[in-house]
Amino acid sequence: ASTRAAVDAAFAAAGRLDDLVQTNLVGTYHCVRAAQRHFAADGWRDVVVKSSILARIPVPGYTGYSASKEGLLGLVRSFAAELAPDDVQVNAICRGWVALDVTYDDAFEQAMREVPLHRMSEPEDIAGTVAWLLSADARGVTGQAIDHNGGAFMLGLRRREGERDEARERDEQVGDPVARGAGDRSRGGRADDC
């Protein structure tokens, strides 16, 4: 019975992944393709795709969502290259927390400690960035992922660098088995099998 439950859980998780990819990635692909038919020769022709900070910073438990949003960044770069000859700019905005109708509680306080500006963006803030990307002031900006997340992406990068430094220090203290050439002997591997 427990094996059956595990199999059911795996299929349920895969279904959730399929839903996320279909909505976030495949849906965006089809929207951009449909929009192409309506690009005016002398008017609006640019595209801004809504991604997420989770496309940039991995968060345990959000693997499917993060993967679908990271996929959007590849889609944006590909569309930017494909549509550039037609003078179409394609960019993404990687937004973090946005203040909507939410209840502020301990989870909010914890989340804001992870944001250097210690506040959520307002919807108008995000709209302003999108308006800029669609304006003449952003002429020549294409294939970019614009981070609009109160500095959380920057802090996430710093944390990852710090984690690598801590891991390096631990390896130096106890001796890194890969650096010593031990590799993965359970599969007959060598240190350079990565």
Side-chain angles (χ1 to χ4, degrees), residues 13-23:
R16 174 85 172 123
L17 176 63
D18 289 346
D19 291 345
L20 289 166
V21 169
Q22 286 297 317
T23 300

Side-chain angles (χ1 to χ4, degrees), residues 79-194:
F79 270 132
E82 179 182 325
L83 300 176
D86 296 325
D87 197 31
V88 176
Q89 296 176 181
V90 183
N91 293 291
I93 186 165
C94 296
R95 64 179 192 77
W97 290 91
V98 177
L100 301 169
D101 294 329
V102 297
T103 303
Y104 300 104
D105 57 11
D106 292 340
F108 168 77
E109 295 299 325
Q110 174 62 34
M112 290 304 98
R113 283 193 286 271
E114 302 291 320
V115 177
L117 290 178
H118 303 294
R119 62 180 170 81
M120 290 186 185
S121 297
E122 295 293 327
E124 296 81 9
D125 301 335
I126 303 300
T129 301
V130 171
W132 175 76
L133 284 168
L134 297 174
S135 76
D137 291 336
R139 185 159 172 75
V141 177
T142 193
Q144 301 302 304
I146 306 298
D147 291 296
H148 198 298
N149 46 53
F153 174 58
M154 163 186 72
L155 184 60
L157 287 178
R158 219 173 45 221
R159 282 208 175 117
R160 280 188 275 168
E161 289 169 1
E163 289 168 5
R164 281 194 299 268
D165 291 343
E166 288 173 14
R168 196 173 301 115
E169 287 175 20
R170 277 193 311 271
D171 290 344
E172 288 171 1
Q173 289 172 358
V174 298
D176 179 9
V178 174
R180 289 192 320 254
D184 182 356
R185 303 271 187 235
S186 64
R187 292 182 293 133
R190 298 185 338 237
D192 60 350
D193 280 347
C194 296

Side-chain angles (χ1 to χ4, degrees), residues 29-51:
Y29 172 86
H30 289 297
C31 284
V32 173
R33 286 289 185 219
Q36 277 184 272
R37 294 191 297 267
H38 302 286
F39 288 156
D42 58 350
W44 171 83
R45 300 168 57 78
D46 299 334
V47 176
V48 177
V49 171
K50 183 181 78 75
S51 188

